Amino acid sequence: MKKLNKVFLTAQIREIDKYTIEHEPITSIELMERASRVWCEYFLKKFASASSVVVMTGCGNNGGDGYAIARMLKQQGKEVVVWQLKTGASVTPDCEVNALRWKEAGGEIFAVHFSEEFEVKTDAVIIDAIFGSGLNRKVTGIVAEVIRKLNSLNNIVVAVDIPSGLMGEDNSVNDRSAIVCADYTFTFQFPKLSFFLPENACYVGEWYVLDIGLHPVVMESVPTDWYYTTAEVVSDLMPRPGKFDHKGTNGCGLLIAGSYGMMGGAILAARSAICSGIGLLYCHIPQRGSDIVQIAVPEAVLDMDISSFCFSGEKSSREYDAVAVGPALGCAPETVSALKELLLRRKQKIIIDADALNILAGHPELLDYLHRGCLLTPHMKEFERLAGKSANDFDRLNKLSIFARRYNVYIILKGAYSVIATPEGQLYFNMSGNPGMAKGGCGDVLTGVLLALAANGMELLDVARIGVFAHGLSGDLLVREYGYRGVTSHKIAEQMGKAWKILENPENRNQN
């Protein structure tokens, strides 16, 4: 069975907790104890040298987690101070039990009545357990003041499950000054949707998903439209090559790219396709680009346009398993007509990138020629040209889902946590990649990777998930060797082989 890493609404997570309690069976306080133990184990690995810890607690179950964590860290020899905030809600039973257990273990609880009395040692690690993922309102009053003071400190802050003040999904009407800016977030079982949005990065910091053993039956059965992709998922999705495979079975792809003076995008896309397992690659390029492509990518077969300068039409009767169009293509009038003809004529898988997207945005009537075999790969500005401006990152996700459904296409919105939208409106977030990849040409490399996978015969959703993750993994491998500034597009293309080696052989993951 293909592994699916799900992202749930916070309301669904409460139902999953409830199902686990009823069907494991386990009491709610025992589940809290288990979750807190897992959290502490991870904390102690990450912050083994931390001797002083400050735990900020609220009145709900997140506060209950905080008291349990404080007790467990004290048992491990840590100096622990607990500050309690009255959040305006009544104390939950499990929070009350764990507060009592903390006192019975010899701990004290210091109430915060105003922000000025909240003091911490400069070397203390602050654990944020004020509010959990169920928060659905702005934080106000004394709690908001304390959060603002906490954010002004230089201490490391680690959030329990979710940074306090951050809502699990839509934060468009939130008071962002009253959200904890965590350096790390250790979240229980599932990432929250808000973690994937760029505007929330300063609150979530580095985040890690901790398995607390919620019931597998309910996690599998509860429906969601959101998923995230890891190396384990990709390894499960990837088909294994057969002993008798040959270049015919590995697929024949057509890359339409380049214009006079801009052949670099064609070369990058072609190289990455060759390094990603395509059986046979044809490059349709303007005549005046032939020499440079022939020399740079000797494995490719050239298919010359009648124009010396740009893409003016693709007339070949040859059958291709997949087509990619766009890198460095330009937007000449004859290229606009040629793209329309291509969309009308070729009904197989088509990867649409770069200038091909700009042409669609400039000629929206061409959007009606898209079909389910199309995979669009815009970055945020290109998507904005296609779908209009978004009020915020959450609104952009909605636009992405609506656009994919309306035009019955797959879309990769490139960026941190690149997100893939399906014609059914589902969203898949990618977990590889890094800021060093924010360089010209990286998108061209991705186009070549996607073309190779599509030509191999994979379904477009698998093409997108595997391709985006492998592309990001190649960048991650480069960062280790060259740092963020040393990552370049051509290095990513050349590094694809190492990325594929890791994903094809899961036992290699721990060696890299």
Side-chain angles (χ1 to χ4, degrees):
M1 185 195 322
K2 292 181 179 180
K3 185 176 180 181
L4 295 176
N5 286 13
K6 293 182 173 182
V7 180
F8 292 106
L9 294 169
T10 52
Q12 291 175 303
I13 294 174
R14 287 195 294 273
E15 291 304 310
I16 292 170
D17 286 345
K18 182 180 177 183
Y19 184 98
T20 300
I21 290 166
E22 293 174 353
H23 292 83
E24 185 170 334
I26 186 173
T27 64
S28 60
I29 193 69
E30 288 170 341
L31 182 58
M32 182 177 287
E33 189 80 359
R34 184 164 76 195
S36 300
R37 189 181 310 112
V38 171
W39 198 97
C40 281
E41 288 171 357
Y42 200 87
F43 179 88
L44 290 168
K45 289 178 184 177
K46 194 79 175 174
F47 299 99
S49 62
S51 58
S52 179
V53 177
V54 171
V55 182
M56 306 292 298
T57 66
C59 299
N61 281 351
N62 195 248
D65 293 326
Y67 288 117
I69 288 167
R71 168 170 41 87
M72 293 174 188
L73 291 179
K74 181 179 173 66
Q75 290 168 350
Q76 293 298 316
K78 302 293 184 183
E79 177 190 325
V80 183
V81 175
V82 174
W83 290 90
Q84 180 192 64
L85 284 161
K86 295 294 184 182
T87 61
S90 57
V91 179
T92 63
D94 288 347
C95 180
E96 193 169 13
V97 168
N98 268 328
L100 179 60
R101 288 178 178 177
W102 165 244
K103 290 179 181 177
E104 290 172 346
E108 290 186 78
I109 299 174
F110 299 93
V112 183
H113 300 96
F114 49 91
S115 60
E116 287 76 11
E117 69 179 330
F118 167 58
E119 299 289 344
V120 298
K121 292 183 178 179
T122 56
D123 64 341
V125 176
I126 299 174
I127 295 175
D128 163 33
I130 305 170
F131 292 112
S133 61
L135 185 72
N136 57 11
R137 57 179 174 81
K138 297 178 185 179
V139 179
T140 58
I142 178 62
V143 183
E145 292 175 18
V146 170
I147 287 176
R148 293 185 189 106
K149 179 173 181 179
L150 190 156
N151 287 341
S152 72
L153 302 176
N154 292 321
N155 300 68
I156 291 174
V157 179
V158 187
V160 178
D161 196 34
I162 189 170
S164 292
L166 185 68
M167 300 177 197
E169 290 87 40
D170 184 6
N171 285 270
S172 58
V173 297
N174 206 345
D175 177 1
R176 294 185 173 274
S177 72
I179 302 174
V180 168
C181 295
D183 298 286
Y184 301 89
T185 299
F186 302 160
T187 193
F188 296 133
Q189 202 72 56
F190 317 102
K192 313 308 181 265
L193 182 64
S194 57
F195 291 7
F196 295 100
L197 304 181
E199 62 194 10
N200 298 326
C202 61
Y203 310 115
V204 183
E206 292 183 32
W207 55 270
Y208 301 88
V209 179
L210 308 184
D211 186 348
I212 61 171
L214 296 182
H215 205 292
V217 170
V218 67
M219 287 192 291
E220 181 66 29
S221 62
V222 172
T224 181
D225 285 330
W226 304 309
Y227 304 84
Y228 64 103
T229 303
T230 62
E232 292 78 11
V233 172
V234 170
S235 291
D236 288 346
L237 291 174
M238 285 182 62
R240 299 297 182 260
K243 185 175 182 63
F244 296 100
D245 284 356
H246 50 80
K247 65 183 180 183
T249 56
N250 283 335
C252 178
L254 173 66
L255 172 65
I256 303 172
S259 54
Y260 183 62
M262 295 197 302
M263 294 307 300
I267 292 169
L268 290 168
R271 280 182 175 170
S272 61
I274 294 294
C275 292
S276 296
I278 196 166
L280 192 59
L281 175 66
Y282 285 82
C283 289
H284 184 94
I285 58 174
Q287 291 184 25
R288 295 191 67 172
S290 60
D291 289 348
I292 186 172
V293 174
Q294 191 79 79
I295 294 168
V297 195
E299 299 92 341
V301 180
L302 299 191
D303 178 50
M304 309 304 297
D305 198 284
I306 60 172
S307 170
S308 297
F309 302 99
C310 67
F311 172 44
S312 66
E314 189 274 312
K315 306 291 185 182
S316 172
S317 60
R318 190 178 294 109
E319 290 298 321
Y320 301 104
D321 298 297
V323 176
V325 58
L329 205 64
C331 299
E334 53 265 55
T335 304
V336 175
S337 299
L339 179 61
K340 176 181 177 180
E341 183 182 354
L342 179 76
L343 293 173
L344 285 170
R345 184 165 171 258
R346 296 282 185 186
K347 295 302 180 184
Q348 63 268 65
K349 297 166 190 167
I350 303 180
I351 317 301
I352 302 174
D353 183 36
D355 282 329
L357 295 170
N358 291 329
I359 290 171
L360 291 178
H363 301 269
E365 69 277 6
L366 297 185
L367 293 172
D368 292 330
Y369 298 111
L370 297 175
H371 53 82
R372 194 178 178 89
C374 292
L375 171 58
L376 283 61
T377 63
H379 55 59
M380 287 192 183
K381 278 295 182 183
E382 288 168 340
F383 182 69
E384 182 180 290
R385 293 182 200 121
L386 286 167
K389 290 184 179 292
S390 301
N392 50 59
D393 293 326
F394 187 80
D395 180 50
R396 185 180 293 109
L397 284 187
N398 288 331
K399 272 189 167 63
L400 182 67
S401 179
I402 292 168
F403 191 94
R405 287 198 301 265
R406 177 179 176 183
Y407 292 104
N408 199 31
V409 294
Y410 293 86
I411 307 174
I412 299 170
L413 180 59
K414 295 180 290 193
Y417 305 118
S418 292
V419 57
I420 299 156
T422 72
E424 291 74 35
Q426 294 175 321
L427 300 179
Y428 294 78
F429 298 91
N430 181 62
M431 296 296 290
S432 66
N434 61 79
M437 299 176 73
K439 311 276 177 61
C442 285
D444 302 327
V445 174
L446 176 61
T447 295
V449 173
L450 298 170
L451 174 61
L453 298 176
N456 284 172
M458 299 180 196
E459 296 296 323
L460 270 184
L461 177 57
D462 291 348
V463 166
R465 296 184 79 188
I466 295 169
V468 172
F469 190 91
H471 177 255
L473 176 58
S474 180
D476 291 340
L477 295 173
L478 286 169
V479 162
R480 300 176 193 177
E481 187 173 357
Y482 297 101
Y484 292 121
R485 286 172 174 78
V487 176
T488 63
S489 302
H490 79 269
K491 285 177 183 174
I492 294 174
E494 293 168 355
Q495 195 83 354
M496 287 307 305
K498 290 185 179 179
W500 294 125
K501 179 182 178 183
I502 292 170
L503 296 172
E504 289 169 356
N505 302 283
E507 63 273 13
N508 293 330
R509 282 204 291 269
N510 295 329
Q511 301 172 19
N512 289 270

